[in-house]
Amino acid sequence: MKRHIALIEDEPAIRENYRDAFERRGYRVSAYGDRHSAYSALRSGLPDLAIIDVGLGDEMDGGFDLCRDLRQLSPTLPMIFLTARDSDADSVLGLRLGADDYVTKDMSLDHLFARITALLRRADAWAQSRQQPDEVLERGRLLLNVDRMTAEWDRQPIDLTVTEFWMLHALVHHPGHVKNRTQLMEAANTVLDDNTVTSHIKRIRRKFQLIDTDFDGIHTAYGFGYRWNAHEA
């Protein structure tokens, strides 16, 4: 069965070009030109992956609103922002709202398809893991339920995206061991650039700090990567 991609892009020519490219790669594509029609269709049946432009018609940030709405429908739906807007602020906001990746339209199709394939592979692995007993990982005040992809700090839930969860899991699995950006990207089973990995780590820290202002679990090993503070284990 063909994997189903939802493409939300307001420019008709660009939308059709991407639709053709995805269909040539063997995907089934549902294309939408605005946030309202996309959400109306997708809330009754989610795709395998959604690709969303940030600006949708008259809604300059309509893609962000759609991402937020879709994330409420599913905590695991793979979502990629594909946009001409390349500011760090937009990228950080998109990832904070729950998207798995943020890429610009000047990216090559081969690179884009690599990211799509990685996210779909990760979704498949997660679905298979749900058939096994829950795996739980405890590190001091931190509790990770690997199968449910939930995290708790001092018994309080931390709302992590799928990508953030697997990066955190990679760090806490071996406390004190440095994980470089490539290793964190591989742990999340996706393809990201260095800046995006750094943005994910910063957001993970902030989410812990919302609960515990003294949180010191993730250390930066400058020039190498990141590690989980062994004292928190």
Side-chain angles (χ1 to χ4, degrees), residues 137-204:
L137 181 63
E138 292 188 61
R139 292 289 184 266
R141 301 154 68 190
L142 177 68
L143 177 68
L144 295 182
N145 186 309
V146 177
D147 294 288
R148 298 178 187 273
M149 287 191 295
T150 58
E152 294 181 4
W153 181 257
D154 285 340
R155 299 180 180 272
Q156 297 186 67
I158 306 291
D159 185 20
L160 300 174
T161 67
V162 176
T163 297
E164 292 166 357
F165 178 87
W166 287 116
M167 287 186 179
L168 177 63
H169 179 269
L171 293 174
V172 304
H173 198 263
H174 297 291
H177 291 202
V178 174
K179 294 291 184 180
N180 62 36
R181 289 177 176 82
T182 298
Q183 290 170 319
L184 291 173
M185 179 181 69
E186 291 173 349
N189 202 6
T190 189
V191 181
L192 305 169
D193 57 41
D194 285 352
N195 289 336
T196 304
V197 172
T198 300
S199 294
H200 279 298
I201 294 296
K202 288 180 178 178
R203 275 196 322 283
I204 294 170

Side-chain angles (χ1 to χ4, degrees), residues 44 66 89 122:
S44 61
L66 179 60
R122 185 179 71 184

Side-chain angles (χ1 to χ4, degrees), residues 24 29 76 80 88 90 113 128 136 141 152 160 174 180:
R24 285 197 300 271
V29 181
T76 59
I80 300 175
D88 289 342
D90 284 332
F113 281 118
Q128 292 175 4
V136 175
R141 301 154 68 190
E152 294 181 4
L160 300 174
H174 297 291
N180 62 36

Side-chain angles (χ1 to χ4, degrees), residues 60 72 159:
M60 182 169 27
Q72 290 177 351
D159 185 20

Side-chain angles (χ1 to χ4, degrees), residues 35 39 42-43 46 64-77 79 97-99 159:
R35 176 172 67 92
Y39 184 68
L42 298 180
R43 67 182 176 182
L46 290 173
F64 290 148
D65 294 332
L66 179 60
C67 173
R68 184 187 298 109
D69 292 339
L70 292 177
R71 185 53 76 217
Q72 290 177 351
L73 293 178
S74 169
T76 59
L77 171 66
M79 288 190 283
L97 291 173
D159 185 20

